[in-house]
Amino acid sequence: MEEHRVILAADVEDYTGRNRHDQGRLQAALVGALDIAGTAAQLRVADWDRQKQGDGQYVVLPAGTDPATVLGPFVKALSKHLRKQQTATFRIRVRLAVHEGLLSLDGANGYPGDHGVQPSRLVDAQPLRDALASCPEAALGVIVSERVFNDHIGQRPGSPRRDQFRRVDFEAKNRPYVGYIRVPGHNVHALALPSAAAQPDPRPPASGLNITGMGSNVAVNGPQTNHQTFGR
């Protein structure tokens, strides 16, 4: 059976480096934060299909969930609650991935297919890890799939603005992926993301070059060149 669903993947930063007691606290804090944010956003928490993963959770939201509610009220409530949990002796920082698509619900051991796999690849993306590492004050880093970004970000009142996200290209399991990162409360464009593939600058060059002509007769004029004509 296949249904269109919104899917979340959440993962706690620096889980492995904690002792057993602290790992237990992190697990409880993560589950509590997801429950509180989901309840605040009216996401029908009791109907979530969860896969427990120790330092994370993979969540298939109920049919009919509005992605805009996830991207807006849910993320806002989650970020707020996680910030409140930070103390001098306890810190929890979470990476969250959001994706949607046609999901196979009857797999023998999970959700087969690209839509089922992609949230796990996104939440583990190195550029998202870099974003949190570059912003120690942040409690939450969010990454959305290209599909979610194109279809839902900035498309209606109340949704996050597109300029709050930063595109990243990365590879996982020998496959290329595209994601869009946001760090609530912080300027993601100012963060150092050494693992993110460089993207072409969409702005026109500031060199002052002027290119004229067609075919074999192309003339280039600018402050760094004399008049040059390229032809056969």
Side-chain angles (χ1 to χ4, degrees):
M1 181 176 66
E2 294 182 332
E3 289 186 2
H4 189 95
R5 295 294 186 92
V6 178
I7 312 151
L8 309 177
D11 196 88
V12 174
E13 182 188 66
D14 190 28
Y15 179 86
T16 305
R18 312 288 185 97
N19 62 35
R20 184 169 63 248
H21 174 264
D22 287 345
Q23 287 182 355
R25 290 183 65 189
L26 288 170
Q27 289 187 13
L30 173 65
V31 173
L34 293 173
D35 285 351
I36 289 171
T39 300
Q42 300 181 353
L43 288 179
R44 296 161 49 196
V45 173
D47 295 327
W48 288 10
D49 188 358
R50 306 185 193 230
Q51 289 185 350
K52 300 178 182 180
Q53 298 174 337
D55 59 349
Q57 275 207 358
Y58 181 103
V59 182
V60 178
L61 299 180
T65 296
D66 187 350
T69 302
V70 176
L71 298 166
F74 174 75
V75 167
K76 182 178 180 180
L78 181 60
S79 179
K80 180 179 180 180
H81 181 72
L82 288 172
R83 289 197 306 269
K84 286 183 177 180
Q85 297 227 63
Q86 313 304 316
T87 70
T89 58
F90 180 78
R91 292 198 76 199
I92 177 171
R93 306 214 305 162
V94 173
R95 303 189 309 276
L96 177 74
V98 183
H99 180 55
E100 67 166 346
L102 195 63
L103 194 63
S104 297
L105 301 176
D106 52 1
N109 190 36
Y111 303 96
D114 181 67
H115 292 306
V117 170
Q118 192 165 165
S120 298
R121 303 292 179 257
L122 290 167
V123 79
D124 201 39
Q126 189 60 47
L128 182 58
R129 294 175 178 271
D130 291 344
L132 279 182
S134 298
C135 192
E137 303 86 1
L140 176 66
V142 180
I143 185 169
V144 304
S145 65
E146 187 172 31
R147 176 173 183 165
V148 168
F149 182 84
N150 289 336
D151 289 351
H152 301 289
I153 300 299
Q155 296 301 318
R156 51 177 147 157
S159 69
R161 301 192 315 271
R162 295 173 78 88
D163 63 3
Q164 293 176 321
F165 291 79
R166 177 173 172 178
R167 172 176 169 145
V168 294
D169 289 51
F170 63 97
E171 287 193 1
K173 303 289 185 180
N174 297 316
R175 177 179 169 180
Y177 286 92
V178 175
Y180 288 82
I181 289 176
R182 179 188 175 202
V183 180
H186 302 274
N187 179 9
V188 69
H189 301 285
L191 302 180
L193 305 182
S195 63
Q199 296 300 310
D201 190 339
R203 298 171 297 180
S207 63
L209 295 180
N210 181 35
I211 302 176
T212 59
M214 297 179 62
S216 62
N217 297 309
V218 178
V220 181
N221 296 279
Q224 301 302 319
T225 68
N226 298 318
H227 183 283
Q228 301 181 39
T229 301
F230 299 87
R232 287 180 286 187

